[in-house]
Amino acid sequence: MTSAASSTKAKAREPKPKAPSAAGATDSGSMPLGGLSDLPAGTLANYFGAGLAGGEAGALMDGGDPLAAKPSFLTEPDSPFSDGYSIRLETEALADFLSLPEEQRNEKHPDFWRWAELEERQSKLEQRGANYERRLRADPLVEEGTVDDLKKLGSLVAEEQDSMVVHTKEGFRMFMGRGRDPKGAFAAIIGVTRNAASLRALWTLTAMDNPYADWALVLHEQHRAEIMKMLKEATNTGLHVLAGAQAIGLNYSVLRSAEPKKLQLGFKSPYGFGMAEMVVTFDYFVRVWKTLEYRDLRSTEQVRAKIHEVLRFARSRMMITTRFERWLMRPELQTLTRADFLPGLAPEAQAEAQKRMDAAIGIFGHVPVDIFVGKLAPRHSRRRTQLSAQDRQVLQAVSAQMAAAEAAQERVDADAPELL
C-alpha cells in the first residue's frame, strides 16, 4: 500500500466534527426547546440578562430563532435588580406586543423572549415583596426566630389602673352625663363617657380611610382646644381674685372634697384620655369658683352663671362629635372611604359608592379640601396607608370639582324665585 493510500484511509476513519448547538450553547447550558414552561427558574435571566444591561443592542436573527437572539433591556438607576433592569421601561417598550391578542404572543414574535424576561422579573419582584412583608420588613441579617418573636409580641398595657380624682358633683356630672328619663320628665344630657365612645367609633373609622371621620376628629380637637382655653381663662380669673385677697392679708385655699372619688379610666382610644383631662380641668375650675362663692368674693348667682356658661359651651361642642358618629356608624355609611370619590371604579361599585357619597354630602356637606386631600389630619388615626403625591393631586382635583358643583348649586338656589 502506498503512503498516499494510507493517508486517505486514515482521514476516512477520523470522526466528523459535530455541528455546534444553537446559539453556540454547550450541552450543559443549552436552552430546552420545549417552550417557556420547560425552562428552569432563572434560565431567562441567565441567557438574556447577563452582559446586556445598559441597552446593549441585540435583535432576533432572520428566521425568528429565539436561541440565536440576545435582546437588550432598558435600565434605570433605582432598579430593584443588580443589573439595573427596569420593569417600568420594559413594559412601556413592549406596549405594542402586550396589546396583541394572546394567540399572537408566541415564540415566533420578535418580542416574545423579551416579554418572557419581563414576566420572570415581575414574578421575582413579587416574590421578594411577599417575603419582605412576611419577614415584617426586617433587615436580611435578622434571623427568622427574631421575626417570629416580633409577631408574638404582646400589646402595651398599663402597669397600674389609670384613674382620675374628682372633687365636685359638677365634675362628676360632666363625666357621667344624664340618660333619657323613661317617664320623659328629663331630657338626656351628653357627658364625657358618651362623647368618648363616639370618639372611639370615629377613630376606628379612620382605618377605613373615611374622610368624614377625619373631619369629625379634627373638629373635635379644635373644639376641645376651645373648651380648655375657656376653662383655663376662667380658672385663672378666679385665682387672680384669690391672689388679690391674699395681697390684703386673706389667705384662702382652694376648696377640695372631704372625700374625693377616684374614677377608673378604661378608655379604648387616645381621645378618651384627652377628655379625662378636660374633666379634671373643669373640676378644678368649679373648685376655684366655689371658693370665690364660699369666701364671699363672688355671688351665688355669678358662680352658677359662670359654671353654666362653660358647661353649655362644652356640651354643644360634644354634641357635634356625637352627631358625626351617629350618622357615620349607620350600616349605609360605615364603608365610606376616600376611594368612593375617585374615578375608575367598576360600574356596580361606582353605583354603591355614589349612594354613600350623596348621603354623606347631604348630611354633612363637602369635606374641607385640606382634610380631604390629607394635608390636615387628626392627631390620632388608625390609617396605615399614606397618600402619595399623585393621590393627593387626584383628590385635590375631585375636591375642587365637588366644591365648584356645590357653589354652582348655591347660585342657582339664590337666583330661584321664592315660593309664597
Side-chain angles (χ1 to χ4, degrees), residues 234-366:
T235 301
N236 289 335
T237 298
L239 292 174
H240 181 72
V241 174
L242 291 177
Q246 185 179 19
I248 61 174
L250 295 172
N251 296 319
Y252 297 142
S253 62
V254 177
L255 298 177
R256 64 187 306 276
S257 173
E259 295 184 13
K261 297 302 179 184
K262 181 184 289 187
L263 301 180
Q264 306 297 328
L265 303 178
F267 297 119
K268 303 298 183 182
S269 82
Y271 290 102
F273 292 96
M275 294 303 291
E277 181 187 6
M278 192 184 79
V279 170
V280 295
T281 304
F282 172 77
D283 189 60
Y284 185 65
F285 149 74
V286 172
R287 289 167 58 196
V288 170
W289 277 76
K290 289 282 187 179
T291 302
L292 299 182
E293 177 189 357
Y294 293 166
R295 299 299 180 261
D296 196 27
L297 299 173
R298 289 290 186 274
S299 70
T300 299
E301 185 58 34
Q302 286 177 313
V303 173
R304 183 181 295 118
K306 190 64 176 179
I307 294 175
H308 181 69
E309 175 191 355
V310 174
L311 271 175
R312 183 174 54 191
F313 181 79
R315 286 168 175 163
S316 68
R317 298 304 183 267
M318 288 191 287
M319 284 296 297
I320 295 174
T321 301
T322 303
R323 178 174 179 266
F324 267 100
E325 179 266 338
R326 185 173 66 250
W327 283 104
L328 293 179
M329 288 302 292
R330 291 174 66 92
E332 300 86 350
L333 290 178
Q334 276 192 25
T335 55
L336 181 69
T337 177
R338 278 181 174 81
D340 290 344
F341 296 83
L342 300 180
L345 296 176
E348 293 184 3
Q350 183 63 56
E352 293 299 318
Q354 191 65 48
K355 292 179 183 178
R356 293 190 290 268
M357 290 165 49
D358 293 342
I361 294 172
I363 297 168
F364 303 108
H366 290 282

Side-chain angles (χ1 to χ4, degrees), residues 149-164:
D149 288 340
L150 176 55
K151 293 177 180 179
K152 298 174 184 177
L153 185 65
S155 59
L156 294 175
V157 296
E159 293 185 3
E160 298 179 0
Q161 177 64 52
D162 297 319
S163 63
M164 67 179 179

